[in-house]
Amino acid sequence: MNADTMKSTPLCAKHVELGAKMVPFAGWNMPVQYSGIIDEHNTVRTACGVFDISHMGQFLVNGAGSTEWLNGMFTNNLGKLVDGMGQYSMMLNEKGGVIDDLIIYRLAEDDYFIVVNASMIDEDYAWLAARKPEGIVLENKSDAFVGLAVQGPTCEDVFARLCPGVTLPVRNGILCFECDGDALIVCRTGYTGENGFEFFCPAEQGVKWFEKLLAAGAKPCGLGARDSLRLEMCYSLNGSDLSPEKTPLEAGLSWCCDLSKDFIGVDVLRRQKAEGRPTALVAIEYKGKGAPPRHGYEVQLPDGTPLGTVCSGILSPTLGKGIAMAYVPAALGKVGTDVNIIVRGKAVPAQIVKKPFLKK
């Protein structure tokens, strides 16, 4: 995608003003770092950082029968939700492959707020719209919001200064409220493994609330730290660790798939559960020093037998060693198995370990 067609969030000029390094991501011009990836990563692990997530999509679904319809589109069971709560879920194709992973929040009976991945907004909307029954309203409101992910151990203090007198919802909860003249949404979710929340405000007020969060004690962070934080927790990235060719069971995400209900792709998942999954997404950790593992690097057994390729890989700021995730044959993906990752033609000794890399 060239510069003329690349999208920018309403905070783009502010990022540049603050000295962010901007890079293309999922068709968007986004900050990859401000003070440095390691510094920002450590800030989120020890204090509080704020990420611009305005590139992600937001859908509204409402109308009689919405719950039943969405339950047939997504893997998790919406029947378990009460008003003001959300859940992680997935939308699959007919072969059981992952179209997108998302979070869906129940605002009220048959009334939902859905947050989808940036690169999948149009595809997700088209997939749902083509299968939507009459009488149900599906709206793409992605341009109406600025989204900010506020993450870290001191996030509650930051929120208390941001919106005095308002109490954060419980984990996975959602709250719609008004503050400083704006209609706001706060969700107690995140992508870092730390205590945190995701904050949505009107797009035209995005800079104001971003500045308010900085004044309240949150440090601006970019996509680089977001990636290292999520990978230490083995949180999958759609397009890298999740794909239309792999099922949630292969990705190790059976916990968000209720196979007792019917949804698109469920027959494939039921068959894999009965017969075994062909591959498994495993966590791999270097035994010693080495250049960081990267997407596409080959994974081999010590005798040179190919196992797969790295989906996601970094040098972990917290652990100080290379970590990665890769799909390998399920029968060979046992914890404790020695492997090599081929980095620039050199075999770097590593081992399959239990997820996640960072035990919180």
Side-chain angles (χ1 to χ4, degrees):
M1 180 173 288
N2 60 48
D4 292 334
T5 57
M6 193 173 300
K7 299 178 182 178
S8 294
T9 79
L11 304 183
C12 183
K14 189 66 182 179
H15 295 316
V16 174
E17 178 188 325
L18 293 172
K21 179 182 178 182
M22 307 297 288
V23 298
F25 176 79
W28 293 79
N29 187 29
M30 296 294 293
V32 66
Q33 61 180 2
Y34 297 83
S35 59
I37 293 173
I38 293 178
D39 179 63
E40 293 163 25
H41 179 107
N42 291 335
T43 293
V44 174
R45 289 281 182 243
T46 60
C48 185
V50 55
F51 302 85
D52 183 4
I53 58 168
S54 306
H55 59 311
M56 299 186 73
Q58 297 84 37
F59 298 165
L60 295 178
V61 176
N62 59 77
S66 292
T67 301
E68 181 180 1
W69 171 58
L70 290 172
N71 228 6
M73 302 300 296
F74 299 155
T75 60
N76 216 333
N77 193 340
L78 287 175
K80 296 179 180 179
L81 290 182
V82 297
D83 294 356
M85 293 300 295
Q87 63 183 199
Y88 179 70
S89 194
M90 295 188 175
M91 188 162 63
L92 310 184
N93 57 32
E94 288 86 351
K95 296 181 180 180
V98 178
I99 297 173
D100 200 8
D101 64 329
L102 50 92
I103 301 183
I104 180 167
Y105 303 91
R106 173 173 160 146
L107 303 177
E109 184 178 359
D110 286 330
D111 189 3
Y112 294 93
F113 179 71
I114 306 172
V115 179
V116 303
N117 281 300
S119 62
M120 300 303 296
I121 295 172
D122 293 340
E123 185 172 338
D124 286 359
Y125 183 82
W127 180 266
L128 290 169
R131 293 159 178 79
K132 180 183 70 67
E134 296 229 359
I136 291 175
V137 178
L138 166 67
E139 297 178 276
N140 180 1
K141 305 295 287 186
S142 303
D143 293 336
F145 293 102
V146 153
L148 299 165
V150 185
Q151 302 285 301
T154 63
C155 74
E156 293 181 35
D157 296 332
V158 168
F159 186 76
R161 289 188 286 268
L162 183 73
C163 298
V166 181
T167 302
L168 280 168
V170 299
R171 180 174 172 81
N172 294 324
I174 184 171
L175 176 69
C176 302
F177 65 105
E178 288 192 9
C179 185
D180 198 16
D182 293 323
L184 306 173
I185 300 173
V186 63
C187 307
R188 200 68 181 274
T189 42
Y191 195 45
T192 65
E194 297 296 336
N195 190 10
F197 59 89
E198 294 175 325
F199 181 90
F200 298 92
C201 65
E204 61 273 15
Q205 299 299 325
V207 172
K208 178 183 83 171
W209 285 101
F210 185 58
E211 291 175 340
K212 278 177 168 286
L213 279 162
L214 299 184
K219 179 174 180 173
C221 298
L223 292 175
R226 188 166 163 85
D227 191 53
S228 58
L229 289 158
R230 68 92 189 169
L231 187 50
E232 286 184 346
M233 299 304 299
C234 288
Y235 294 159
S236 297
L237 175 65
N238 193 53
S240 295
D241 313 303
L242 303 175
S243 79
E245 287 73 45
K246 298 293 184 180
T247 72
L249 271 61
E250 291 175 278
L253 296 170
S254 60
W255 59 268
C256 68
C257 301
D258 187 342
L259 304 190
S260 70
K261 72 182 184 79
D262 291 331
F263 55 86
I264 295 174
V266 70
D267 289 342
V268 177
L269 272 57
R270 289 169 178 161
R271 186 163 60 249
Q272 282 191 354
K273 182 178 181 181
E275 300 175 1
R277 52 187 178 165
T279 64
L281 183 65
V282 298
I284 303 173
E285 185 175 296
Y286 280 6
K287 289 186 172 181
K289 301 292 184 180
R294 300 296 186 198
H295 177 85
Y297 285 6
E298 188 174 1
V299 181
Q300 300 177 349
L301 289 174
D303 65 5
T305 301
L307 286 182
T309 57
V310 170
C311 298
S312 293
I314 57 162
L315 178 64
S316 165
T318 304
L319 303 178
K321 62 176 69 175
I323 60 173
M325 291 200 294
Y327 283 97
V328 304
L332 301 177
K334 294 180 174 59
V335 170
T337 300
D338 288 334
V339 298
N340 290 329
I341 296 181
I342 310 304
V343 181
R344 301 171 193 160
K346 180 182 177 180
V348 179
Q351 188 176 70
I352 296 175
V353 298
K354 186 177 180 180
K355 298 178 183 177
F357 296 105
L358 185 62
K359 309 302 189 290
K360 296 292 293 181

